Amino acid sequence: MDSNRDDRSKGPAHSPGSGTTALDAVAEAVSRLRYGAIELTVHDGRVVQLDVTERRRFS
């Protein structure tokens, strides 16, 4: 077994200093977003970045 894989099984990834897990951040982004896209960047099997693009539509 690859030793890097062992680190991934220890629980959810936390954002440095914030105490927020990546899953919590994604859930919050989805709950706030009406139209748009959410992009996750993953390095070594861990979410390291969350980008939210919001679309505003005018009629």
Side-chain angles (χ1 to χ4, degrees), residues 18-54:
S18 70
T20 302
T21 66
L23 187 57
D24 291 338
V26 170
E28 181 181 343
V30 169
S31 70
R32 291 180 176 198
L33 191 63
R34 292 198 52 172
Y35 297 99
I38 296 173
E39 180 181 353
L40 300 176
T41 302
V42 178
H43 291 178
D44 293 327
R46 301 190 83 144
V47 176
V48 296
Q49 183 171 320
L50 169 79
D51 293 308
V52 179
T53 303
E54 182 177 342

